[in-house]
Amino acid sequence: MTAEEIRAFGSLLPYWAFGLATAGSFYGAMLWIGGHFRPEFKAELTNWLSGNYESTWTAQFCRLFDTVFGPRHFSTKRILRSALASVLAVLVLYVLFAHVLGVFGSRIFGAVSLWQALLIGAAVNIIPDYVSLIETRWLLSRFERVQSVSGQIALLLADLAVTAAIIFAGIYAYSWVFMDGRIPSPVEILALFSVFAVFFYSTFLTSLWAWLYCFSAWFVRLFTRLGLGRMLDIQNNPVKQLALVGSALIVLGGLALGPVFKPAKGGFATAFDDFICRLDLRACFHAARAAGETGLVVHFMELACRNEIDDGNCAGRLEEYFSGDRQAINAIWQKACEGGYARGCRAHGYAYQYGFGVAPDAELAFSFYQDACEGNDMGGCANLGYMYQNGLGVDPDQVRAAELYRKACDGDDRLGCTNLGVLYEYGSGVGEPDPAYAVVLYRRACEGNHASGCVNLAVMYEIGEGVDEPDPVRAAELYRQACEAGAMRGCSGLALMYRTGKGVEAADPARAVALYLQACEGGDMWGCYSLAWMYELGDGVGKDPARAAELHRRACEGGVDLACGRAG
């Protein structure tokens, strides 16, 4: 046996051990319970195993259900016993997920302590479990009319759907009241990506009564038709024989399900995650986080980011999906980068450049951008060019910056086109200034929906550089396009057009104030500076020296030196 085979075998031991422990517990519990049965009940059990009660099994099973939970739906006994069953179910699922499968932190995002799980379970599960219990009791009475295996399976599937709807309602009600972050999707819960999976799946233990009824009915049919009643001593010790057969089935089930739940490359777990990923594109992020191998991380991240241009920025969606948990986000990008996913190297470099969840480190950022560019990620090349242009993590080199921007632009990266246009506009690293070619590059970037490219192109039209003549109307259109796309410099530029009346239908100082405010709140400090003057002069807004001083101070702290002399 090879070392890899030994490791694979060893990884199955916890699952098989849990199956053996469950089988042993079932066997011991059955013997203990059987020791308290009256002789008359043991005789009835013998008759049941002999197939004598097959025609009346529905009524007898319903009586058993009512004995455990109480005969009346809306009684104190049934409510209390249902609540106790809910807490115990959460306890069992918590032990399974936390200590047997070990999925907290590895697959399930986050973790809760046992006491937290029990408290949340009490809030989330008690009412849905009680409703599910009533639904299950109603279903049991319907089985008397449905005797075929296919019909009973259809009812079981319907029960699963109804139970899922009930507990989802409970989970989302709890989330709406007590949670401020993003509410997990149904796919996250089903795929064991959320801690709410503990409370979701525990509710289905109520449905086990319906499954137990069907399996017991099918079991008796199989037991009698195979002649097991003649092979086992069901006359003298029916409980022991039932415990023995049940334990054997549990052991066989555990042996079969171990490889299913083991997270192995190419195994069921990977295929399941792949299905989940394609079902809900956002869940790919969780599948990537939970994947143990970098190759799988890359696979899931490629699926999650494959529609980046159409569906929005992948990094932004990842940020939203994990509610800004930078540690989890950076870990995913790092693993993806290690697996050769160049997009991941770019994102990890960005985190180091701006200190998102890590200490800022320009040299590490440069290194990751270099890996991204060498992996033909054009965004990585554009960012690497920026590092060379500004001497971040490397000695300044305008020529090298231009080469990288050109590579990125030729590879259809719009940021690369915009930044290369800046170099051509000012003649940095490309020889003499060439405003006309800068306009070509800005236009290419703008047509590719790069808002900063639209801003720069608007400036060229406004001042008449690189174009045949100034065109303030076209400039205003481009500023508006950039502003609507989220470029705050575009909002400031459009505000100036409304303030002066250039390129727009008429001067509108009030509209200019609104645009400057939008730009300022969006982080454009020149927008804050211009808005301060509007308040100081009372242009488009009432005079407010205190507000003007506050805005000047904000602009000064944001790097606008002209504002510092007027900050209060």
Side-chain angles (χ1 to χ4, degrees), residues 377-433:
D377 178 75
M378 296 300 104
C381 294
N383 290 357
L384 187 62
Y386 182 86
M387 304 296 277
Y388 272 108
Q389 182 184 0
N390 295 279
L392 300 174
V394 67
D395 292 334
D397 188 337
Q398 303 303 309
V399 174
R400 180 60 178 149
E403 292 173 352
L404 289 163
Y405 287 147
R406 183 172 289 106
K407 178 179 179 180
C409 184
D410 290 344
D412 213 27
D413 181 82
R414 304 315 187 187
L415 173 62
C417 295
T418 298
N419 289 355
L420 183 61
V422 172
L423 296 186
Y424 270 99
E425 182 179 352
Y426 295 100
S428 178
V430 294
E432 294 297 319

Side-chain angles (χ1 to χ4, degrees), residues 196-255:
F196 282 104
V198 174
F199 314 113
F200 175 78
Y201 283 107
S202 66
T203 297
F204 288 90
L205 294 182
T206 300
S207 297
L208 282 181
W209 281 91
W211 289 84
L212 182 60
Y213 167 82
C214 289
F215 281 126
S216 63
W218 302 338
F219 174 82
V220 169
R221 293 179 193 175
L222 184 65
F223 197 90
T224 55
R225 284 156 179 72
L226 291 178
L228 293 178
R230 296 188 299 272
M231 299 168 58
L232 300 174
D233 186 14
I234 62 173
Q235 295 294 330
N236 298 317
N237 205 335
V239 176
K240 184 176 181 180
Q241 308 312 314
L242 184 61
L244 181 63
V245 174
S247 299
L249 291 175
I250 292 173
V251 170
L252 291 175
L255 291 174

Side-chain angles (χ1 to χ4, degrees), residues 107-328:
R107 184 174 182 85
I108 291 179
F109 186 56
V112 291
S113 68
L114 174 59
W115 292 112
Q116 286 175 316
L118 293 177
L119 289 174
I120 296 174
V124 170
N125 286 85
I126 286 180
I127 294 177
D129 285 2
Y130 181 68
V131 175
S132 178
L133 189 73
I134 295 175
E135 182 268 334
T136 299
R137 178 61 180 83
W138 175 88
L139 182 67
L140 289 174
S141 64
R142 302 277 78 77
F143 280 125
E144 188 171 10
R145 304 176 186 175
V146 182
Q147 295 295 318
S148 68
V149 173
S150 60
Q152 290 176 345
I153 290 176
L155 285 178
L156 290 175
L157 294 176
D159 173 65
L160 290 179
V162 172
T163 302
I166 292 171
I167 185 55
F168 273 132
I171 288 173
Y172 287 123
Y174 174 87
S175 301
W176 183 72
V177 174
F178 295 104
M179 290 180 61
D180 296 327
R182 190 181 62 80
I183 298 175
S185 70
V187 171
E188 286 179 86
I189 296 173
L190 286 168
L192 298 183
F193 291 143
S194 166
V195 293
F196 282 104
V198 174
F199 314 113
F200 175 78
Y201 283 107
S202 66
T203 297
F204 288 90
L205 294 182
T206 300
S207 297
L208 282 181
W209 281 91
W211 289 84
L212 182 60
Y213 167 82
C214 289
F215 281 126
S216 63
W218 302 338
F219 174 82
V220 169
R221 293 179 193 175
L222 184 65
F223 197 90
T224 55
R225 284 156 179 72
L226 291 178
L228 293 178
R230 296 188 299 272
M231 299 168 58
L232 300 174
D233 186 14
I234 62 173
Q235 295 294 330
N236 298 317
N237 205 335
V239 176
K240 184 176 181 180
Q241 308 312 314
L242 184 61
L244 181 63
V245 174
S247 299
L249 291 175
I250 292 173
V251 170
L252 291 175
L255 291 174
L257 292 176
V260 169
F261 289 106
K262 187 178 74 68
K265 182 177 180 180
F268 175 86
T270 298
F272 175 74
D273 282 346
D274 197 63
F275 168 76
I276 289 297
C277 184
R278 297 175 191 277
L279 186 66
D280 180 357
L281 198 63
R282 299 179 310 159
C284 293
F285 294 134
H286 268 307
R289 176 190 54 78
E293 300 180 26
T294 54
L296 291 177
V297 177
V298 172
H299 169 71
F300 290 124
M301 288 305 293
E302 285 177 340
L303 287 176
C305 299
R306 62 185 172 182
N307 296 326
E308 184 169 357
I309 294 176
D310 296 332
D311 296 344
N313 182 270
C314 184
R317 288 187 284 121
L318 181 61
E319 183 91 18
E320 178 186 1
Y321 198 66
F322 285 106
S323 302
D325 187 331
R326 295 304 317 179
Q327 185 176 2

